Amino acid sequence: MTSHLLWITPLVPFAAALLMLLVRSRRALAAMDVAISLAVLALTVAIARQVQVHGAVSALGVFRADGLAVVFLLLVGLLSVAVSVATVGWMRHEVGRGQMREDRLHWYFALVHAFVATMLVTVLSDNLGILWIAMEGTTITSALLVGFHGDKHGLEAAWKYIIVTTIGISFGLFGTVLIYGAAAHAQGGVLTGAMNWSSISAIAHRLDPGIIRIGFIFVIVGYGTKAGLAPVHMWLPDAHSQAPTPVSALLSGALIKCALFAIIRFHSIALQACGPEFSSGLLLAFGLVSVVVATPFIIVQHDLKRLLGYHSVEHVGIIALGLGFGGPLGTYGALLHVVNHGVTKALVFLVAGDGIGRYGTRDMRRMKGFLGLAPIAGTLLLMGAFSLAGTPPFSIFVSELIVVRAGIAGGRFVPVAIFLAMVVIIFAGLIHHVGQMAFGSAGEGAERGREALTPLLAMFLLAAVMVLLGLWIPVRLDEVLSAATGVAGG
Amino acid sequence: MDAIIAQVSRTLAQAVLLVAAGPLVTGIVQKGKARLQCRAGASVWQPYRDLLKLLRKGTVQSDTASPFFRAVPVLVLAATVTAAALVPVLWTPGGGDLPFGDAILLVALLALARFLLAVGALDAGGAFGGMGASREMTVGLLVEPALMLSVFSVAVTGGTTELGLLAARREALALSWTAPDLLALFAMLILTLAETGRIPVDNPDTHLELTMLHEGMLLEHSGPGLACIVLATHVKQLVILSLVAALFLPLGLAQGWGAAGLGLALGAFALKVLALSGFLVLVESSYAKLRFFRVPQFLGLGFVCAFLALALRVL
Amino acid sequence: MRRVAVWVGHLSIGVAAVLVAIFALGFLTGSAPAAHLDLPRLFPFAAMSLSVDGLSAFFLLVISLVTAAAAMYAPSYLGAHAHAPGVQTLALAAFVVCMALVCCAGDLVTFLLAWECMTLSSWVLVVSDTRNEENARAGLLYMVVAHAGTAALLVSFLVLAERGGGLDFPALRAAAAGLDPSTRTAVFLLALAGFGAKAGVVPLHVWLPKAHPAAPSHASALMSGVMLKVALYGIFRFAFDLLAVPGGPLPASWGWTVLLLGTASAVIGVLLALQQHDLKRLLAFHSVENVGIILIGAGVAMLLGGGRGPAALATLALAAALLHTLNHAAFKGLLFLGAGSVLARTGVRNMEELGGLARRMPWTAWLFFLGAVAISALPPLNGFVSEWMTFQALILGATRLGASGLLAGVAASMLALTGGLAAACFAKAFGVTFLGRPRTAHAEHATESPAPMIAGMLLLAVACVALGLLPGWAMRLLDRPTAELLGGAGASAAVTARGPMILAAGDATAGVGATAISVTAVAALFALLAALAWALRGWPRRAPRRLAPTWTCGMTPSARFDYTGTGFAKPLRLIFAALYRPRREILKETGPSPYVIRRLSYQGEVVDLAETVLYARVKHWIASAAHEIRSYSTGRIHGYIAFVLVTLVVCLLLFARA
Amino acid sequence: MSVELATRLIDILGGLLLFTMLLILAAGQLFRAIYAVAAQAVFLGIAGAVLAAATGNVDLWIIAGITIVAKAVLLPWLLMVVVNRVHISREIESVMPASLTLILAAGIVVLAFHLNASLGPVRQAITGNALPVGVTLILIGVLVMASRRKALVQMVGLFASENGIFFTAMAVSQGMPLIIEIGVILDVVLGALVMGILVLRVRSSVDTDIADLEDLRG
């Protein structure tokens, strides 16, 4: 069933990006930014409804949206709307403080929309080559965004980001080549659409396990670097802490998930090709290492954004653990965690950005009395922190519960024990840092300005989704997730 | 219904008996001590005269005291006399429909009396009241576990902590003493010294502020209030002696209500109390008062004996 | 406007509590079957439901009793002492609702959600004074220990859920039936750790004395009086219901673990409480002690239950534990509200700065005194009744347990020691705070609390006196829980066989040996004799009463002469020095000659061993390990690239071969 | 062009590629490294031509042409522009002792060929030794990036490892679809452009080599 929405959706933000290069006034740019994001969200919802009605839809032989893609599409759409709404108020504040130069605003908005466009192509692409090209596109656009402030730390972060992720992605490309070779060999050299994931996964059980194993290792190390799996995660805290706040929210919320999307695609192939133990075992190993490695850095961290960066590493680890535990339960929990973490991390980054704007410093030890300074943002920060740490009324607890249940169902008690121990230690570290920030009385240096409306609006939107998913998984979302589990579970 | 009335009247009668006999026992002990120290000593009825004198005198009360101070003497006397009603003296109190005479309830009532006394002492607001209260409570809480252990070691044989049933059951054994009984008795005797505030633990005769435990708490009371508390002290001493007698020498408890039976029981009770007060006199005359922070070791000895008694009984 | 909102909020909480109490009473005394209510399917993987049986109804009663009192008490307390009263009212409402939900949760997901929301809402109450950083640290420790407990619970629940297939309690029950002994013990120990962390059992109690005093007093009353009980509900639910061995006794090791933990908690809790000067910290430590006493009762019930000992004794032990739960909720709530009213009127929690309040706050003083007598397990009141039943269970049980009966005997003597220590502690607390001369201006100008606060305290005081004088009727409330958990006849059959006025432990007919007391009769006798003594004192004629200064060796008496709390507890500090490890420093400023002391300052400190040995060391170890690992991450990009390369090569070597 | 001849030619070209890789590893001067990468790109183009002749797939001709234009001419020119603008010392300092990098390179070659041996019949899908050579080029390229201090040398290492990928990609049965190859090359060029901009901006603002910045840590 072909649907032209598939190639229109990424085209809209890309065209908008080019258009924005010509516009100069901040107000117009902000308006366009919000309008385009709303359009993207509408398109993604339309695609989601189409997929639900007709099953997988494809277009131009290169794009394809199935159950799995829909989950990531909705996440990217939702986050781009939230971020663009928040950018309106944030940008006015930043320009006022001189952090952002008026003349380079159009570059900023253009790059953000190009970044969103490349993410959409990544998620929508059926052809694994196109997926790689779009992934490389996201790296380039986001590298420029990370280094947008132009200060020493920003450029250093951008350099590390682009070098390490480009190496990672080139490993991913080599893995794709190997898997493509195996697919071509299995079809006796016939070239009909061998690059498409749908055709490869159709013949996956006939592929030669030896080369798929090497290919998958290249893919998981490659795209794992992009996703921030430990021990190849080190660029992530640098990049996420130096990028402007809305970009950090998009990086942590959406980009990491697209890399995981690619890993899930190859995971479903490897599952059929070399049996469930191999790829699940690798994912489990990487997931556990990520959670363990992130813990010490979270406990003794002083920089707020680096703390959130390391927290992203931990949550990517949890998603990998979910996939590693496998079975319909584990995969369902991992996918739910993708959505939950995307929403929560974006919220906490926006609130952190607001806090850093007020205190003018990133060092948590000097950011005291945030609740007294900005009561609404302070409460949201506490809610976000508790959600990240996995306390029940919020969404992340539900997905962690499912992942742990899958772990115990799979009889893997040691990983579960290690995972829970690390989660408790991270809980202590995170709540300690955030508690220090929220309570006490604010120093005189802090800016007591009124809390801007639009960032609050975006934060309320994200907080609402976070609390809603914590207490109730709507039937429609459940269907989407189950469909995705079917596709990913293999 | 009339059985209950009869039982209550009997209990009240026993309480009156103990209240009357209380000061007499103290008089006998003082007389015994005086005789051992080769001096004549006051007459045996002296405590009664002191009480009457106090009752007639006026009250001098501290200006900072609150209503508690006035309520404490009354409540202390009431608690102690209620405890007196529970101890099997001439007959087993728990016989009728209403069960009286449980050991734990008895110990708890004495603890209530001690608690009220301590609170009263703190109310007057001087240093001595506080010091007396603090030391009395400390000694009290060290005595209680050992007391409980020795009562349990006896209770384990009878399968109940009701003194009446215990006494009846042990009477059937008729003086067949085993090692646990001896150890438990020895522990109880040590604890009796502490509970009644006798020499090794506390000196009842002194008024030197720094050394007195029990007396320290009475410092601020005067007139009828002081009379109530002194009477309560006498009754408490008799209650404890009769508790020891009931647990370890249960002979001569009257079965029926015939005059002969009661007379015999009264005689047996008098003998038992005399023997125990003789023990008190001997200890008071031959030992010196321990330094306060050596008292825990002394009571520790009692605790270990009670523990051994229970261990031998159970194992 | 905000005051009206606060009043309405608390009024609605109070009304709801009364309704729940009526429902619980009706349910406990009636014979309606276990009520079951299916909640809408919030989560696709779990059917959420609520089910109320005897045990949950009893705990609902406990919750509603203290909540009603706290709801009456709170508005006027918040008025004088509030930080964001609106938020506190909401948090209090959420806290109470979550506690009720935990007790009637019918399945795993509802239980865990309600459990953590209870923790979160009580955390909001603890840190409600946002400017005070001490509260934030207390709140943090509280959350971390609670979260670790929940993690343990999660694993134990899910291990059961896996075997049973479903997530609701009947499925868990079925799964537990088929469990092999070692897994069953592992699951029980995990659940015990999880619930113990929340109930404040000794090694995991460190958060309790820090968190409870930080909350506003009515919230502390709820947290100490009720939240600990909800954790104990969990232990009862797991030990007697979910993991019950069908038709056989529970493993002996469980009973002994719970008994020893209970004894340790009781003794260490009260010993540490003795050395506290902060009124609310003292009460919080006492919660640890009373949880210990309840666990002793539960331990004996687990040992004697299921046919290993006589059924009547097991029922007695369980009835003792449950009754003490209700009693503790009543008098601990009363004491915390009393301490709160002192804090509200004087703004000071430290005993050493109070004194002489009895004359200025008569109502609070008398009610606090009543609570003190109750908690010290002294006869006329309810503390004594449940402790007496626990004693009987221990002693009569000891005869049944053969050689290990000695351990039960020692536990009984430790219980007696705890009773004594509690009496000493509250003599100090009541005496130093309310009696003697006011030591500071705060105490000097204190006035009586407003009527609603007194009303709240009065409700709990009446509950204490009623439970103390008429325990027979309370036994009827315990019928259903004890019958459901241990099978056999309910509590009233075992304990009030000889009529409601008499408490009989064990039954003479079955040759088990029996002790009986009639607390009501003894109380009546006590009242009669008190009247007689009062008459005796006033009999000859109205003796003239003269006021004179207290005797202080002739010097003019001042507040400095009064005995301080530290002084009162000094003998015990020396006797139990091994546990306290007391540390003190005395600075002397001497005048011209060394014998003329111009200024003397004393600074003493008692250490909570569990905190220093266990927590400080673990925290230090984790922090140093973290610093160690963090030092490895140099900022150099070559390190980053090298890691990518090494990871790839290692994976290829390890995983590539077939 | 018969298949055996093509396979032998590919093996020879594979050997030459490995040789150029060792040149980069041993290069002391920046210019030598850049010329080595250019040479590597030329050999890659020739391999593309050989495969195009062997399989008769027209797309491979186009790909070979684009590879030579983009990789052999455009990228080295870009690097030279950056080097002249940046006027830093042309020396290549190393983070690890030189002997260690050579031992590691040898280890990588052994690993690659061992992996290739463990593969089953699927080896025929990739003509000749393209697979092990590709793996070797990638890993040594990354090794160069990890061991050399300067940013520019890291860019050279990156292009070398991407050449390895291309060599294997072209050798896969009929080669990758055209648009994919063009897209990949376009991305590589764009990436190089952005890296060049970053290096120049740091050089102008802070005047230290971007690879030496190490403030973001812990």
Side-chain angles (χ1 to χ4, degrees):
Chain A
M1 165 45 192
T2 65
S3 134
H4 296 298
L5 282 180
L6 292 191
W7 56 270
I8 293 170
T9 312
L11 191 64
V12 162
F14 197 74
L18 299 179
L19 203 63
M20 282 181 180
L21 285 179
L22 314 174
V23 175
R24 281 295 174 271
S25 94
R26 183 179 58 74
R27 207 168 300 284
L29 280 170
M32 279 180 67
D33 179 17
V34 173
I36 298 300
S37 309
L38 286 173
V40 165
L41 182 62
L43 287 168
T44 48
V45 168
I47 294 174
R49 191 165 299 114
Q50 268 188 357
V51 166
Q52 213 163 15
V53 172
H54 307 296
V57 286
S58 59
L60 307 177
V62 173
F63 294 113
R64 182 170 183 276
D66 54 8
L68 185 64
V70 161
V71 171
F72 291 82
L73 266 176
L74 288 175
L75 181 64
V76 169
L78 179 67
L79 286 188
S80 68
V81 165
V83 164
S84 50
V85 166
T87 313
V88 173
W90 179 79
M91 189 56 81
R92 187 180 337 111
H93 184 74
E94 288 291 301
V95 167
R97 269 169 11 101
Q99 282 284 343
M100 280 289 201
R101 292 212 307 275
E102 189 73 31
D103 56 357
R104 300 183 56 211
L105 282 191
H106 58 279
W107 274 105
Y108 173 81
F109 282 103
L111 277 173
V112 165
H113 278 277
F115 179 37
V116 169
T118 45
M119 275 202 285
L120 289 173
V121 169
T122 319
V123 174
L124 283 172
S125 66
D126 182 19
N127 187 309
L128 297 176
I130 297 289
L131 185 139
W132 184 86
I133 293 164
M135 193 68 87
E136 179 70 13
T138 57
T139 309
I140 292 165
T141 46
S142 53
L144 288 174
L145 279 170
V146 166
F148 197 79
H149 281 313
D151 62 339
K152 190 155 92 77
H153 290 178
L155 290 174
E156 176 190 344
W159 174 256
K160 286 179 182 170
Y161 174 58
I162 195 160
I163 286 290
V164 176
T165 35
T166 308
I167 297 173
I169 295 179
S170 59
F171 286 168
L173 179 62
F174 188 70
T176 318
V177 163
L178 289 184
I179 291 175
Y180 167 67
H185 171 69
Q187 279 173 338
V190 172
L191 282 176
T192 55
M195 248 338 225
N196 284 355
W197 177 81
S198 45
S199 54
I200 293 178
S201 70
I203 58 163
H205 52 277
R206 295 214 314 267
L207 298 180
D208 170 276
I211 199 159
I212 294 293
R213 193 171 288 118
I214 298 175
F216 185 74
I217 287 174
F218 271 95
V219 160
I220 193 161
V221 173
Y223 286 123
T225 314
K226 181 77 178 159
L229 283 172
V232 290
H233 66 289
M234 296 187 173
W235 61 272
L236 192 139
D238 301 349
H240 287 204
S241 63
Q242 298 309 325
T245 310
V247 175
S248 314
L250 274 179
L251 278 176
S252 256
L255 179 58
I256 291 182
K257 307 305 180 294
C258 299
L260 280 169
F261 170 79
I263 292 180
I264 295 174
R265 281 288 190 213
F266 286 99
H267 174 52
S268 60
I269 297 172
L271 268 179
Q272 292 170 15
C274 20
E277 313 75 25
F278 169 69
S279 57
S280 303
L282 255 175
L283 276 168
L284 190 68
F286 271 100
L288 212 54
V289 167
S290 303
V291 173
V292 169
V293 162
T295 308
F297 290 96
I298 285 177
I299 294 174
V300 282
Q301 196 50 255
H302 301 312
D303 178 322
L304 178 56
K305 280 196 165 181
R306 287 186 72 84
L307 172 75
L308 297 178
Y310 277 111
H311 226 285
S312 296
V313 171
E314 186 230 343
H315 281 280
V316 165
I318 294 175
I319 296 170
L321 261 178
L323 293 170
F325 288 143
L329 212 56
T331 320
Y332 185 96
L335 291 172
L336 182 61
H337 200 74
V338 160
V339 176
N340 292 345
H341 177 250
V343 167
T344 314
K345 185 45 67 70
L347 167 67
V348 177
F349 257 114
L350 291 179
V351 173
D354 176 56
I356 290 169
R358 283 179 187 282
Y359 285 94
T361 164
R362 239 196 272 278
D363 183 348
M364 287 185 283
R365 288 170 301 197
R366 292 210 301 276
M367 298 165 80
K368 283 268 185 298
F370 191 53
L371 263 178
L373 207 62
I376 302 170
T379 328
L380 286 174
L381 176 72
L382 282 177
M383 280 168 64
F386 274 120
S387 172
L388 277 181
T391 27
F394 305 108
S395 50
I396 283 186
F397 170 77
V398 177
S399 41
E400 273 175 14
L401 176 72
I402 301 171
V403 164
V404 168
R405 186 172 175 208
I408 290 182
R412 291 190 168 85
F413 292 109
V414 172
V416 165
I418 296 173
F419 166 61
L420 283 178
M422 289 306 143
V423 161
V424 168
I425 295 175
I426 286 174
F427 174 91
L430 184 65
I431 301 298
H432 166 70
H433 292 303
V434 170
Q436 256 183 350
M437 267 179 59
F439 297 110
S441 48
E444 65 297 333
E447 189 190 311
R448 287 193 187 285
R450 193 181 53 76
E451 298 183 75
L453 177 64
T454 47
L456 277 190
L457 201 63
M459 291 182 211
F460 275 129
L461 168 72
L462 291 171
V465 171
M466 178 174 75
V467 174
L468 179 81
L469 286 184
L471 295 172
W472 173 59
I473 299 182
V475 175
R476 194 176 297 277
L477 176 65
D478 175 46
E479 281 153 12
V480 164
L481 287 172
S482 312
T485 316
V487 169
Chain B
M1 186 53 198
D2 52 359
I4 293 177
I5 293 170
Q7 190 187 354
V8 166
S9 59
R10 242 195 354 267
T11 321
L12 280 178
Q14 174 176 310
V16 165
L17 169 71
L18 283 184
V19 167
L24 179 62
V25 169
T26 316
I28 291 165
V29 168
Q30 297 296 27
K31 189 71 163 177
K33 267 192 344 187
R35 273 284 175 273
L36 275 182
Q37 293 159 10
C38 309
R39 55 180 173 81
S43 90
V44 173
W45 308 103
Q46 184 56 27
Y48 289 100
R49 294 193 197 96
D50 297 345
L51 286 175
L52 285 178
K53 176 193 73 179
L54 284 175
L55 278 175
R56 274 199 295 280
K57 288 179 71 171
T59 317
V60 176
Q61 187 184 324
S62 156
D63 47 14
T64 65
S66 64
F68 282 97
F69 189 78
R70 284 181 51 70
V72 158
V74 170
L75 294 176
V76 165
L77 182 60
T80 317
V81 173
T82 317
L86 303 183
V87 173
V89 175
L90 301 179
W91 52 77
T92 55
D97 305 348
L98 283 180
F100 281 102
D102 176 53
I104 299 171
L105 184 55
L106 189 137
V107 168
L109 277 169
L110 294 182
L112 173 65
R114 185 187 309 124
F115 178 79
L116 292 169
L117 213 55
V119 163
L122 281 170
D123 191 12
F128 308 113
M131 184 185 297
S134 157
R135 295 185 165 192
E136 180 68 16
M137 291 308 282
T138 311
V139 165
L141 65 89
L142 289 176
V143 162
E144 248 178 58
L147 202 63
M148 283 298 171
L149 264 185
S150 53
V151 166
F152 298 159
S153 66
V154 174
V156 164
T157 59
T160 167
T161 56
E162 232 176 287
L163 295 172
L165 297 176
L166 265 182
R169 193 154 297 145
R170 283 190 63 87
E171 201 169 3
L173 301 177
L175 273 188
S176 61
W177 280 53
T178 55
D181 288 321
L182 279 175
L183 279 170
L185 176 60
F186 180 67
M188 271 307 262
L189 290 180
I190 288 179
L191 300 176
T192 313
L193 291 173
E195 269 298 301
T196 53
R198 286 293 164 191
I199 268 299
V201 175
D202 167 20
N203 184 347
D205 309 331
T206 170
H207 262 285
L208 183 59
E209 287 85 356
L210 299 181
T211 62
M212 52 184 177
L213 268 76
H214 182 69
E215 294 301 311
M217 296 193 282
L218 314 184
L219 214 54
E220 283 304 316
H221 291 282
S222 60
L226 180 59
C228 294
I229 295 179
V230 165
L231 179 59
T233 317
H234 297 318
V235 170
K236 174 177 173 183
Q237 176 180 292
L238 184 54
V239 162
I240 289 174
L241 292 185
S242 38
L243 174 66
V244 169
L247 281 177
F248 298 101
L249 315 156
L251 292 169
L253 282 178
Q255 298 318 329
W257 311 119
L262 278 181
L264 188 68
L266 196 62
F269 177 69
L271 269 177
K272 283 183 257 180
V273 166
L274 272 177
L276 287 171
S277 40
F279 162 76
L280 287 183
V281 167
L282 273 175
V283 166
E284 283 239 276
S285 319
S286 48
Y287 282 90
K289 180 176 181 310
L290 283 176
R291 201 164 66 82
F292 181 70
F293 293 119
R294 297 295 304 278
V295 167
Q297 279 86 6
F298 176 70
L299 294 176
L301 176 64
F303 181 82
V304 166
C305 290
F307 176 76
L308 279 181
L310 181 66
L312 289 178
R313 183 79 71 194
V314 169
L315 298 182
Chain C
M1 177 44 202
R2 273 242 303 255
R3 287 198 48 69
V4 171
V6 166
W7 271 93
V8 166
H10 285 283
L11 203 61
S12 51
I13 297 174
V15 166
V18 167
L19 288 178
V20 167
I22 293 166
F23 162 74
L25 278 171
F27 187 88
L28 280 171
T29 46
S31 61
H36 188 84
L37 169 73
D38 284 327
L39 298 177
R41 282 185 69 89
L42 289 180
F43 296 107
F45 56 86
M48 296 170 75
S49 63
L50 293 179
S51 78
V52 177
D53 63 355
L55 189 64
S56 10
F58 178 75
F59 277 87
L60 279 182
L61 182 65
V62 171
I63 294 172
S64 49
L65 174 70
V66 184
T67 314
M72 266 195 276
Y73 180 90
S76 42
Y77 176 83
L78 282 182
H81 209 76
H83 299 274
V87 169
Q88 286 198 20
T89 319
L90 273 178
L92 188 74
F95 180 44
V96 171
V97 164
C98 289
M99 278 197 287
L101 278 180
V102 166
C103 287
C104 354
D107 71 305
L108 152 68
V109 174
T110 332
F111 186 92
L112 279 178
L113 272 181
W115 178 266
E116 278 279 328
C117 289
M118 173 176 79
T119 311
L120 201 60
S121 45
S122 54
W123 178 78
V124 168
L125 285 169
V126 167
V127 291
S128 52
D129 171 11
T130 54
R131 259 174 305 286
N132 176 343
E133 282 200 20
E134 186 47 40
N135 288 3
R137 259 193 301 281
L140 165 71
L141 181 62
Y142 169 47
M143 280 304 280
V144 168
V145 171
H147 199 69
T150 316
L153 279 188
L154 195 64
V155 174
S156 63
F157 265 129
L158 289 180
V159 165
L160 271 182
E162 270 337 288
R163 301 260 184 323
L167 283 181
D168 50 355
F169 282 166
L172 295 185
R173 222 167 268 130
L179 268 181
D180 53 290
S182 57
T183 327
R184 182 193 296 275
T185 309
V187 167
F188 174 72
L189 289 180
L190 270 175
L192 188 63
F195 290 123
K198 203 59 187 301
V201 178
V202 161
L204 307 169
H205 70 286
V206 178
W207 60 274
L208 198 141
K210 289 190 165 71
H212 283 197
S217 300
H218 56 282
S220 313
L222 272 172
M223 286 168 75
S224 266
V226 179
M227 188 172 73
L228 302 185
K229 305 302 166 301
V230 170
L232 290 172
Y233 162 79
I235 294 180
F236 284 122
R237 176 66 71 190
F238 250 76
F240 292 101
D241 181 9
L242 292 183
L243 295 176
V245 177
L250 292 170
S253 60
W254 295 12
W256 287 115
T257 327
V258 171
L259 186 63
L260 292 180
L261 272 180
T263 314
S265 303
V267 175
I268 292 179
V270 75
L271 276 174
L272 291 172
L274 252 164
Q275 303 302 335
Q276 302 304 326
H277 309 322
D278 177 333
L279 211 51
K280 289 174 82 171
R281 257 174 79 87
L282 182 137
L283 293 174
F285 268 112
H286 267 285
S287 301
V288 174
E289 174 224 339
N290 281 287
V291 162
I293 295 172
I294 296 169
L295 283 182
I296 289 176
V300 173
M302 285 159 71
L303 278 172
L304 297 176
R308 181 178 292 121
L313 274 188
T315 318
L316 169 76
L318 188 61
L322 290 175
L323 187 62
H324 197 71
T325 313
L326 184 59
N327 291 344
H328 178 249
F331 56 67
K332 181 49 60 67
L334 172 60
L335 287 169
F336 257 112
L337 295 186
S341 100
V342 166
L343 175 62
R345 304 314 292 176
T346 59
V348 162
R349 285 199 329 218
N350 184 355
M351 272 192 256
E352 312 286 30
E353 293 164 20
L354 294 171
L357 294 180
R359 291 156 66 114
R360 292 161 181 76
M361 304 169 67
W363 278 98
T364 314
W366 276 104
L367 290 169
F368 193 91
F369 177 71
L370 196 113
V373 170
I375 198 168
S376 317
L378 295 175
L381 291 178
N382 55 357
F384 172 74
V385 172
S386 45
E387 205 153 296
W388 179 80
M389 287 168 69
T390 316
F391 266 125
Q392 290 305 323
L394 275 170
I395 302 161
L396 301 181
T399 51
R400 277 293 167 287
L401 293 172
S404 50
L406 181 60
L407 219 53
V410 168
S413 73
M414 284 305 117
L415 192 57
L417 175 66
T418 314
L421 285 166
C425 180
F426 273 89
K428 170 185 112 167
F430 178 73
V432 169
T433 315
F434 286 94
L435 305 178
R437 281 182 190 73
R439 293 181 177 79
T440 58
H442 302 290
E444 192 81 40
H445 309 304
T447 55
E448 185 50 280
S449 306
M453 289 168 85
I454 302 293
M457 291 200 277
L458 210 59
L459 172 70
L460 288 176
V462 163
C464 283
V465 171
L467 285 169
L469 298 185
L470 308 164
W473 275 275
M475 283 304 131
R476 268 181 53 73
L477 297 181
L478 297 172
D479 259 352
R480 290 206 48 165
T482 42
E484 275 158 14
L485 293 184
L486 287 174
S492 56
V495 177
T496 50
R498 294 167 57 181
M501 297 274 284
I502 297 167
L503 293 176
D507 49 3
T509 51
V512 158
T515 324
I517 58 167
S518 161
V519 180
T520 352
V522 168
L525 188 63
F526 178 77
L528 183 67
L529 289 171
L532 276 176
W534 187 74
L536 171 72
R537 191 177 64 166
W539 158 64
R541 47 174 167 48
R542 295 293 301 144
R545 195 149 61 94
R546 192 162 55 79
L547 293 183
T550 316
W551 167 253
T552 48
C553 296
M555 288 177 270
T556 54
S558 77
R560 298 288 301 159
F561 283 90
D562 280 8
Y563 223 60
T564 63
T566 326
F568 195 93
K570 176 140 180 64
L572 284 158
R573 226 185 351 266
L574 291 179
I575 296 169
F576 295 98
L579 177 75
Y580 288 134
R581 292 214 172 77
R583 191 180 53 76
R584 64 174 188 173
E585 56 198 80
I586 297 174
L587 303 173
K588 262 192 205 140
E589 244 181 66
T590 53
S593 85
Y595 303 104
V596 176
I597 295 176
R598 191 172 300 109
R599 221 173 63 78
L600 187 69
S601 95
Y602 166 90
Q603 214 274 327
E605 194 231 1
V606 163
V607 155
D608 177 358
L609 262 181
E611 186 175 345
T612 49
V613 167
L614 195 66
Y615 284 74
R617 219 161 265 168
V618 163
K619 198 151 47 116
H620 171 70
W621 180 76
I622 292 179
S624 57
H627 279 294
E628 185 64 32
I629 295 171
R630 186 160 180 256
S631 61
Y632 284 130
S633 80
T634 59
R636 295 177 62 80
I637 188 167
H638 306 89
Y640 295 8
I641 302 168
F643 258 102
V644 175
L645 185 62
V646 164
T647 315
L648 182 69
V649 168
V650 164
C651 285
L652 284 177
L653 285 175
L654 289 181
F655 291 93
R657 265 182 305 289
Chain D
M1 171 88 66
S2 66
V3 177
E4 303 77 21
L5 178 61
T7 314
R8 250 190 17 270
L9 277 178
I10 289 296
D11 291 347
I12 296 165
L13 285 169
L16 285 172
L17 283 173
L18 278 182
F19 172 67
T20 48
M21 201 61 210
L22 291 180
L23 276 182
I24 296 175
L25 208 56
Q29 289 288 343
L30 205 52
F31 287 99
R32 282 207 184 77
I34 294 172
Y35 291 152
V37 165
Q40 208 174 42
V42 167
F43 291 133
L44 200 61
I46 298 167
V50 162
L51 282 167
T55 57
N57 175 349
V58 176
D59 296 349
L60 270 178
W61 285 106
I62 304 167
I63 292 168
I66 294 173
T67 310
I68 290 181
V69 164
K71 297 216 162 189
V73 173
L74 192 60
L75 286 186
W77 171 75
L78 182 79
L79 286 174
M80 297 300 272
V81 161
V82 169
V83 164
N84 296 337
R85 181 95 48 96
V86 146
H87 38 68
I88 46 157
S89 76
R90 303 301 201 265
E91 290 307 314
I92 294 183
E93 301 91 6
S94 166
V95 174
M96 284 192 288
S99 55
L100 184 60
T101 42
L102 288 178
I103 295 167
L104 284 176
I108 287 172
V109 171
V110 164
L111 169 71
F113 281 89
H114 167 67
L115 272 183
N116 191 33
S118 71
L119 286 180
V122 80
R123 276 208 302 270
Q124 290 82 13
I126 302 171
T127 49
N129 63 3
L131 178 61
V133 166
V135 170
T136 316
L137 285 177
I138 293 174
L139 296 185
I140 293 181
V142 173
L143 180 64
V144 162
M145 294 176 75
S147 57
R148 298 300 184 258
R149 250 163 64 83
K150 280 209 173 40
L152 281 169
V153 183
Q154 286 174 355
M155 289 169 71
V156 165
L158 184 65
F159 300 149
S161 68
E162 262 144 23
N163 290 346
I165 301 173
F166 271 73
F167 182 59
T168 316
M170 280 190 279
V172 165
S173 51
Q174 269 70 30
M176 309 274 280
L178 182 62
I179 40 174
I180 306 296
E181 289 288 339
I182 293 167
V184 168
I185 292 173
L186 187 64
D187 264 337
V188 166
V189 168
L190 265 177
L193 208 65
V194 167
M195 289 180 206
I197 293 168
L198 285 177
V199 170
L200 291 177
R201 196 180 292 176
V202 166
R203 176 60 59 197
S204 59
S205 66
V206 177
D207 196 22
T208 61
D209 188 273
I210 192 166
D212 295 341
L213 298 174
E214 50 186 35
D215 311 340
L216 298 172
R217 62 152 58 97

